[in-house]
Amino acid sequence: EADIYQTPRYLVIGTGKKITLECSQTMGHDKMYWYQQDPGMELHLIHYSYGVNSTEKGDLSSESTVSRIRTEHFPLTLESARPSHTSQYLCASSETAMNTEAFFGQGTRLTVV
Amino acid sequence: GENVEQHPSTLSVQEGDSAVIKCTYSDSASNYFPWYKQELGKGPQLIIDIRSNVGEKKDQRIAVTLNKTAKHFSLHITETQPEDSAVYFCAASFGNEKLTFGTGTRLTIIP
């Protein structure tokens, strides 16, 4: 079983609020990722990190930001939530070695009202 | 960059029958092709993967085939069971590059 955790599982919040989605892994993985999953199932990469102090934007433009101060922790922040941010957010991690499995957390379902 | 197409988007199969999901990729350098299963309320989980030096891999009722010349790979599930109902994603990558996922297939097993 994957040792990667996301909190909260569900979040309903008002427009304009600042939110942080937490993601932690205990596997010592250098690579970490954030995906946004729309109701149509498709996974969109919004941020990734290959190690401490390394963050990159993914394929889908996002107003969120991320930080990687510690290997095990990769939080995602929205400074001012909007209804368009309503979605499922999935965090994942993998080893540095080539062609290795990505482990996913259970996701945070965010609803902005 | 890599582009992965996945078909079909939805698939309904009678329990006990076989299910096949197909993916094509664009970057001939890609050499790693995993398949993930996502159950309701959970994150995707790896079920099988194949590397470019292998044409076929099997794990109990699940098998994956790879055709590098045609740049496509397929997931085969035999003797389907209700617990196989889920969303399945294919993916491709090269070396240390990040995975590129397909658009997903919602598989429903009809009892």
Side-chain angles (χ1 to χ4, degrees):
Chain A
E1 190 155 322
D3 294 319
I4 180 164
Y5 308 99
Q6 290 186 243
T7 57
R9 286 292 311 279
Y10 304 93
L11 179 61
V12 180
I13 201 161
T15 298
K17 297 292 186 182
K18 178 180 178 178
I19 59 169
T20 296
L21 308 185
E22 302 289 348
C23 177
S24 294
Q25 49 95 7
T26 58
M27 297 173 281
H29 289 169
D30 284 325
K31 295 181 179 178
M32 296 190 75
Y33 313 85
W34 275 104
Y35 291 87
Q36 185 173 338
Q37 185 171 34
D38 56 28
M41 305 180 298
E42 196 167 349
L43 294 165
H44 301 283
L45 181 67
I46 52 175
H47 298 283
Y48 62 99
S49 167
Y50 282 175
V52 171
N53 294 326
S54 155
T55 61
E56 301 286 345
K57 290 190 178 296
D59 305 318
L60 180 70
S61 176
S62 173
E63 293 166 351
S64 59
T65 59
V66 292
S67 62
R68 190 86 184 277
I69 299 172
R70 303 197 317 264
T71 298
E72 62 271 22
H73 195 213
F74 191 40
L76 180 145
T77 298
L78 276 165
E79 290 292 334
S80 180
R82 294 207 298 267
S84 61
H85 297 139
T86 294
S87 189
Q88 165 95 327
Y89 292 85
L90 288 161
C91 180
S93 72
S94 66
E95 293 179 359
T96 304
M98 294 189 300
N99 300 339
T100 57
E101 177 181 357
F103 293 88
F104 283 84
Q106 290 199 296
T108 294
R109 183 163 296 282
L110 172 66
T111 302
V112 184
V113 297
Chain B
E2 175 66 277
N3 181 53
V4 177
E5 294 188 358
Q6 182 172 347
H7 299 281
S9 57
T10 61
L11 179 62
S12 294
V13 173
Q14 206 72 34
E15 182 178 352
D17 288 350
S18 296
V20 180
I21 303 170
K22 299 181 179 182
C23 289
T24 59
Y25 60 99
S26 61
D27 188 350
S28 56
S30 289
N31 59 358
Y32 177 60
F33 308 93
W35 285 88
Y36 286 81
K37 175 184 181 182
Q38 186 177 21
E39 297 177 335
L40 196 62
K42 296 184 178 180
Q45 186 171 11
L46 180 74
I47 54 172
I48 194 167
D49 58 12
I50 192 168
R51 288 166 174 78
S52 60
N53 58 344
V54 176
E56 184 175 357
K57 185 177 179 180
K58 191 173 181 181
D59 183 3
Q60 298 183 331
R61 297 186 297 108
I62 294 173
V64 56
T65 58
L66 172 65
N67 184 327
K68 285 213 71 181
T69 303
K71 290 190 284 188
H72 66 69
F73 56 112
S74 300
L75 177 72
H76 305 254
I77 306 174
T78 59
E79 301 172 14
T80 53
Q81 300 169 3
E83 53 264 37
D84 295 329
S85 292
V87 176
Y88 291 81
F89 293 95
C90 63
S93 71
F94 167 70
N96 259 327
E97 295 298 312
K98 56 190 183 300
L99 288 170
T100 299
F101 284 91
T103 48
T105 296
R106 189 177 302 278
L107 174 63
T108 303
I109 306 302
I110 305 166

